[in-house]
Amino acid sequence: MILVMKADLPPDSPELDRVRQLAESYGLSTQVHRIQGATRSLTEVYLLGPTGVVPTAPFEEFESVERVVRITEKFRSIGRHGGGVEAVGFEYNGVHLSQDSFHLIPGLCAVDTRENVDEMFAALQRCGIEMTRAGAYKPRTSPYDFQGLGAACLPYVFELAGKYGIRIIAMEITRESQIGEIRQALRESGDATGVMIQIGTRNAQNFELLKAAGQQREMPVLFKRGMGITLEESLNACEYVASSGNHRILFCLRGMKTNLGDPHRNFVDVAHVPVVKRLTRLPVCVDPSHSVGRRAAAPDGLLDIFHVTAQGVIAGANAVLVDFHPHPEDALCDGPQALRLDELERYLEDVQIVRAAYEERLKRIARPLKEL
Ligand code: PEP
Ligand code: MN
């Protein structure tokens, strides 16, 4: 059961304690979640345990309780529960992410040299972009491939992020101890930037790693769907992060592993953007680079990566995670799918055209759900 409290309830409100005491008198435990949105804060109290026999009326009587939502669906923490809970999104390091917002996350698949990080971040600043990706820990298919520079590169990555006004870096982790390494390096940089912990597709069902990412609430989590499991299995896996305590999650579609997608690296799954928005409260990201995996161009003069980006954005994606590299031919990881920095402005312009078209669709074509 979820108690949605009235907006802007102070964290020290005595009503919160009273609500919790009542829940405990029914043998339930409670978790309080505060969600800081762009304009207001929202508090939800999760009642955990055998809630089936607990009446809602005593909770509805509290002045500060807006409504009581019985959880009927399986995605207890990330689900929408028939519209009973709002998809308010979250705020991190001054950036708001929700099912209404839109952000580009262009950057390096893997950090290789300080110079390349500098060039990459400088280009982002010129385009007014505040989010990026930068891999320090890379899970690779072959043990002989470059596995990332690890903790050694974090000091200069964070320093340069601060210098160029980057607010959030999506950074994949492959084991729990890396969370501590990232946290320590952030502190040592004077919190020059923020990090969004990325769970890669290969770890989508690494439940212990998911719990670790969920137990820390300092950094949000970018969760990539599993490449060989159903969407439902991926959402259940993502639920591990939220049920461990961290609800600040960006859900990322990155394509499915099957030869049916050939000649793309993965079968593009942007059709699931509206599906994930309907089933969950999470903002949805698309990753055209790992879906397409190559610099192929269509006869119309647009790269497949541009086309797939557009397909995700026109479907309402809230973020696009995309590989760029100052010198893709020298990249130590995923060079063949990286766009060049001299393509960044054109890419941004294309994305702006398509996002505006999506917003126009909402204004002119969309109808209230009850009419559909
Ligand atoms: C990545 O984003 O660098 C990555 C490894 O992606 P995925 O986990 O989707 O393969
Ligand atoms: Mn990659």
Side-chain angles (χ1 to χ4, degrees), residues 325-339:
H325 196 285
H327 312 284
E329 62 289 355
D330 300 332
L332 297 177
C333 183
D334 285 349
Q337 69 192 28
L339 300 175

Side-chain angles (χ1 to χ4, degrees), residues 108-110 133 135 137-140 172 198-203 222 224-225 227 252-255 265-266 287 290-291 321 323 333-334 337:
L108 301 167
C109 176
R133 52 166 298 146
Y137 312 98
K138 301 299 303 178
R140 301 304 300 277
E172 181 163 1
Q198 182 172 325
I199 302 289
T201 198
R202 291 162 188 78
N203 279 309
L222 172 69
K224 287 199 159 190
R225 78 170 300 168
M227 60 185 161
C252 184
L253 297 166
R254 50 80 68 208
R265 182 177 175 186
N266 287 283
D287 177 345
H290 289 81
S291 305
L321 184 75
D323 288 5
C333 183
D334 285 349
Q337 69 192 28

Side-chain angles (χ1 to χ4, degrees), residues 10 26 32 53 71 155 157 179 204-205 215 235 238 261:
Y26 286 108
V32 178
V53 292
I71 292 175
V157 171
I179 296 175
Q205 284 186 311
Q215 278 157 7
L235 293 174
C238 188

